[in-house]
Amino acid sequence: MHRGIEIDLHLTSNLRNENFVAEALGNLAAYRLQQERNEPLQWQVIRVDESHHHHFRLIVRHPERPLDIGLTHALKRMLDELSHESEAELSKRFHEARARGLQPTPLRHVHESPDLWQDDFWNHLG
């Protein structure tokens, strides 16, 4: 059994830099969740490239225990709030959060859908 939450990121069309937007949305939402809960969380923002399309996902887990289901609702709410911002506003929030301590995980590209709950997927986080 995995210890985390997996949420698809739904981006609006015609974004100038959808990779940055997905990375910023995922990192900001996970960071806010970590701050609100005052507990260590690990997260990944991934771009899944498939045959004729791609999509983005945010995966959040606790390094030691399962997360409760209520966090999914909180995370979706945060993502919804952040998704209404322009790319410029999102960029500003992202840089401000970095100044306050956010250590963002870079957008990770994978081909086809990986098994996101295998430990080797998370090994680079330490």
Side-chain angles (χ1 to χ4, degrees):
M1 184 168 128
H2 62 78
R3 300 183 302 249
I5 299 168
E6 180 178 341
I7 296 178
D8 286 327
L9 299 178
H10 301 283
L11 305 181
T12 59
S13 59
N14 300 322
L15 292 172
R16 288 187 334 193
N17 190 348
E18 71 176 3
N19 286 343
F20 169 75
V21 169
E23 181 179 356
L25 281 172
N27 275 283
L28 285 169
Y31 180 68
R32 282 185 180 179
L33 184 63
Q34 178 177 261
Q35 298 300 306
E36 282 185 9
R37 298 292 296 232
N38 195 29
E39 60 183 322
L41 296 175
Q42 296 174 327
W43 60 86
Q44 285 284 300
V45 183
I46 62 170
R47 176 183 164 136
V48 180
D49 293 312
E50 295 182 341
S51 298
H52 299 288
H53 70 285
H54 66 273
H55 61 279
F56 297 93
R57 288 187 188 154
L58 171 62
I59 300 97
V60 179
R61 77 176 193 165
H62 191 284
E64 299 169 359
R65 64 173 180 77
L67 293 174
D68 62 79
I69 293 177
L71 290 181
T72 301
H73 177 70
L75 196 54
K76 285 181 179 180
R77 178 183 41 81
M78 289 175 197
L79 286 166
D80 186 52
E81 290 170 5
L82 289 166
S83 69
H84 293 293
E85 296 187 357
S86 69
E87 287 181 60
E89 292 169 326
L90 197 56
S91 180
K92 180 181 175 192
R93 279 193 190 273
F94 185 65
H95 293 294
E96 288 172 349
R98 289 183 73 173
R100 288 190 315 270
L102 166 63
Q103 295 178 357
T105 61
L107 180 66
R108 185 169 178 189
H109 293 256
V110 296
H111 297 284
E112 303 301 327
S113 293
D115 185 350
L116 302 173
W117 302 110
Q118 294 296 317
D119 286 335
D120 61 339
F121 184 80
W122 296 89
N123 283 343
H124 74 284
L125 292 176

